[in-house]
Structures are given as structure tokens and as C-alpha cells.
Amino acid sequence: MTTIVPKIAVEHELGLVLTGGGARGAYQVGVLNWIARNYPDIEMPILTGVSAGAVNTAKLAATPGTFAQACAELDTLWRSLTVEQVFRSDVLSLGRSAIGWGLRLISGGAKGSPRVRGFLDTEPLRKLLYETLAPVNHEITGIDYNLARGRLKAVAIITTSYTTGQTVVFMKGKGIEPWERPQRRTVLGPITVDTIMASAALPIFFPAVKLGNEWYGDGGIRLAAPLSPALHLGANRILAISTRYDRSMAEAKRAGIDGYPPPAQMLGLLLNAVFLDLIDQDAVRLERLNLLLDKLPPEKREGMRPVRFMKVRPSQDLGALAAKFEPQLPRAFRFMTRGLGTREQRSPDVLAMLMFQPDYLGELIDMGERDAERIADDLEAFFEDRPDGHTEHPAIDAAHLE
């Protein structure tokens, strides 16, 4: 049963962590819709996102008005999204890309050989982000507006520097300090459309983006501690929305193909390795630290603080669902994906990430709402900071700031 709570008395800073997954990011919108509808006065002052989650984070952070209004605009954006608004899918564009990659491979890197970047041209996505985020001189000024009026405390967009191999967190907020860890660093300053494009640059498929003197790609590539940015920004409670379906033991043992694996199977495994969010492992580490903190009086915790954590994830295999909508893809792009072997797979994860079809996206949004409804009691306990909710890892500690 859904409980409508008129206002949540939040004593701690609530952080929202949105993971990646390409088109699967629509699932996050459904969960957020349910939350906004049932908790219309909720505030989430700390927002972090990576890849598709970075797009959702930017929209939430930049939209004036309430959190519910921002979710409504996000819903409208995703339900109307098409493949052509994300990347060029016409025969000429795809053919030019395929020929360029082929010539590059057989040229041996000779002088004058084609310089290829991503397989798909994402200029339409850049145009769409400019339209929906309304930047001024490239900077997303809506974030500054919400910071100034107090609705937002901090926002972080996570990228990977192809130049250095580091995870780089671009962030903006009030009273926040940069931090550095091995293979991780932060950049304080403006968040631009190019920052979002960089975070969402799917390896191989989407081209890298140049920010300053470095080239950046999808933030999920080396993201070993996905909760870390929210913790550094001061979150005392964290809600994470994953786009990864957690297969059962029986499903994990089931063969996904018959015969030799096609390229799509290998690409799907590689991309899932990128988006295999490590939230579970991160949460376990935090839980262990929390158990240690419970044994210490507050004055001896050296600034460490307890944090509640909850994660929501899809209840269905999104790859298998994407296969049902495959015939609706643009013909040239469908031809290309079939050439990669997506029709040979029972759960084509590559399709699940690139299926920017309104009917598929709408189904993911609806699934997110149903999944949130299914765990309504747990979400209520989490938002009200009651100890009786099930969160997978019920007592988490924020001491993990590596």
C-alpha cells in the first residue's frame, strides 16, 4: 500500500546516486516519478550521476521549481525520446562510419588514414541537451540558480579521462572541497553540456569529448567507488537507482546464445563490465565500517558518520525486454545491430543500452514506477529514517571516503 507523506522531516542531507546504462536510464525516471508523486515535498540536495544518470542528474539539478516539477519534465523528455534525437541512424552516417573504421584498421595507422572516434554520431544528443538544459555560454546556469535558492547543495558529474586513465568528478556546490585519491580526482567549477556528453560517451559507440586539454568518456569505466562522491559532498543518507538487473543464480547459469558468441555478445559483456555498478561492494565495505563505528563513542569517530543506504534496481531483464522492441528500430541501425548478432542473443544488452525507442523507454519508466510501488513500505521507512525498512544493506557508514 502506498503511503502519501505530506512532508518529510529531513534531519540529514539526502543524496541521490544515479548510475549509467544508456537507454536504461529511463528506468530511473519511473522510480523518481513514484517518489515525487508520493512525497511531493521531498528534497534531494545532493545529486550525483554517471553516463545516462548524468543526463538525469543535470536535468534534476538545473530545472527551476520543485523536485516533482523537475521529475515531470524529465518524464516528458524520456517518453518523447527517439533514436534520431540521440545519434544519427541514417544509412549515409552509419555507412560513412563503418567505412572509416574499416579503412583505419587496414591502413596500419598510415599518415592520412581516417581519424575515427565513436561509431555513432551523437551531435543530435548535444543539440537536445542544449535545448532542454538551456545553457548560457555553455554553462548550465540552472544549477547555479538552484544552488543560490537553497534547493540544491551540490551536484557531481562523473567522467573518465582517456588521457590519464583517471576517474574525474566535475562538481559544483556550497562549501565543498576537492579531494584526490589514487586514480580519482575532482574538478570544481562550471558544469557544461560537454561535461554531460563526456560522462555519457558510451565506449566504442559514442565519441569522446574534449574538456580542457584532456579527452573524456563514460564515467562508469573505472568507477570503483560509486558512493564516494555523494559521501564526500556530505550525504548522510543515500538512495541509489541502478539500471542493472540482478540475475538469479538459475538465470546466470542459463546460456545466452547457442554456438559461437557473436560480436554483440562480447560487446554486451564488455559494456556490462563498465556498467556493472559496484554499489553492492561499496555498500558492504561501508556496512563493515559502520559496525566498527557502533562500538565507538561519537567523540572517538574522528569525523566519521553513519549513513543509511537504499538501492532500487529493475525487477526484469532489460536486455530480454529490449529484444521485443527491436523491430521498431530505424532500418539502417537495425541492420547494423543484427549484423553484430543481436538477433542471436536471448538478452541483447547492447540493444538495451541503445534502444532509444519511445515504446521501450515508456515501458522502462512504467517498470520503475511499479518497482517503487512494490517496495513502498521500505521507501517510506527510508525517507522517514525509521529502522524497520529493508534496504539490502540496512546500516551503512559514510566513513568510506576513499
Side-chain angles (χ1 to χ4, degrees):
M1 180 174 130
T2 303
T3 301
I4 307 292
V5 179
K7 187 169 181 63
I8 300 172
V10 179
E11 297 179 357
H12 305 299
E13 300 286 12
L14 177 59
L16 178 65
V17 174
L18 299 178
T19 66
R24 298 187 297 195
Y27 174 82
Q28 297 171 343
V29 180
V31 177
L32 294 171
N33 279 346
W34 186 93
I35 293 171
R37 183 168 61 250
N38 289 277
Y39 300 89
D41 293 317
I42 195 171
E43 294 180 357
M44 296 191 183
I46 296 173
L47 304 174
T48 74
V50 57
S51 192
V55 175
N56 291 338
T57 294
K59 183 63 176 174
L60 292 174
T63 302
T66 65
F67 179 79
Q69 289 170 330
C71 290
E73 291 194 20
L74 198 55
D75 179 87
T76 299
L77 173 67
W78 277 91
R79 287 188 186 275
S80 62
L81 201 58
T82 64
V83 169
E84 292 82 1
Q85 289 177 295
V86 180
F87 52 82
R88 293 196 170 103
S89 59
D90 58 281
V91 174
L92 183 61
S93 179
L94 294 176
R96 185 187 300 117
S97 179
I99 292 171
W101 277 92
L103 291 175
R104 178 72 179 181
L105 288 172
I106 65 175
S107 70
K111 186 177 180 180
S113 60
R115 295 187 62 84
V116 292
R117 296 181 179 178
F119 194 83
L120 300 171
D121 183 348
T122 55
E123 193 58 32
L125 176 60
R126 184 187 302 276
K127 179 181 178 182
L128 177 66
L129 291 178
Y130 265 91
E131 291 174 354
T132 190
L133 297 174
V136 177
N137 294 326
H138 306 294
E139 184 176 354
I140 305 172
T141 55
I143 294 176
D144 294 317
Y145 173 77
N146 284 323
L147 285 169
R149 71 189 187 99
R151 187 191 133 204
L152 189 64
K153 177 185 176 182
V155 58
I157 302 298
I158 304 161
T159 68
T160 300
S161 170
Y162 288 145
T163 305
T164 66
Q166 293 177 303
T167 293
V168 183
V169 180
F170 289 85
M171 59 185 190
K172 196 162 191 180
K174 295 181 178 179
I176 60 176
E177 298 291 335
W179 69 90
E180 288 192 9
R181 295 293 184 271
Q183 293 303 316
R184 279 182 282 160
R185 60 185 166 90
T186 56
V187 176
L188 278 174
I191 292 176
T192 67
V193 168
D194 278 346
T195 311
I196 311 304
M197 290 290 294
S199 182
L202 280 167
I204 301 174
F205 289 100
F206 291 0
V209 176
K210 191 173 186 181
L211 301 173
N213 295 321
E214 298 181 35
W215 288 92
Y216 291 84
D218 198 292
I221 294 175
R222 299 196 67 176
L223 188 58
L227 302 181
S228 179
L231 297 173
H232 276 287
L233 294 175
N236 289 67
R237 284 185 294 157
I238 295 177
L239 174 67
I241 307 178
S242 171
T243 64
R244 183 175 67 87
Y245 171 67
D246 192 19
R247 290 185 171 94
S248 67
M249 188 64 70
E251 289 173 318
K253 291 180 179 179
R254 192 178 304 143
I257 56 168
D258 297 318
Y260 189 83
Q265 178 77 1
M266 302 177 198
L267 282 171
L269 288 173
L270 289 172
L271 290 176
N272 269 334
V274 170
F275 296 114
L276 186 64
D277 57 72
L278 301 176
I279 287 177
D280 291 339
Q281 293 91 322
D282 217 10
V284 169
R285 290 193 292 266
L286 294 174
E287 184 175 17
R288 289 172 178 170
L289 288 171
N290 193 54
L291 293 174
L292 293 175
L293 280 185
D294 284 343
K295 301 179 185 299
L296 294 175
E299 65 273 12
K300 293 187 177 182
R301 293 179 180 176
E302 299 184 0
M304 299 180 183
R305 64 190 187 277
V307 161
R308 286 198 71 177
F309 170 78
M310 184 168 185
K311 178 176 62 181
V312 185
R313 66 178 359 144
S315 58
Q316 297 179 40
D317 186 335
L318 303 189
L321 180 64
K324 298 178 181 179
F325 293 92
E326 188 261 2
Q328 280 76 51
L329 283 171
R331 180 176 297 179
F333 183 64
R334 185 174 70 240
F335 185 80
M336 183 199 77
T337 59
R338 289 181 178 181
L340 291 173
T342 55
R343 292 289 292 269
E344 302 170 43
Q345 298 176 274
R346 295 180 179 86
S347 178
D349 287 320
V350 169
L351 275 184
M353 298 178 194
L354 297 174
M355 181 70 71
F356 292 97
Q357 283 290 108
D359 45 5
Y360 172 70
L361 299 176
E363 179 58 32
L364 294 192
I365 294 171
D366 294 341
M367 183 191 303
E369 295 195 22
R370 291 193 301 268
D371 288 351
E373 175 70 23
R374 179 173 50 83
I375 58 171
D377 291 341
D378 296 326
L379 284 167
E380 180 185 339
F382 174 77
F383 288 134
E384 293 188 328
D385 210 13
R386 297 200 320 260
D388 57 334
H390 173 68
T391 62
E392 293 190 2
H393 303 282
I396 306 299
D397 169 76
H400 177 68
L401 294 175
E402 283 95 19

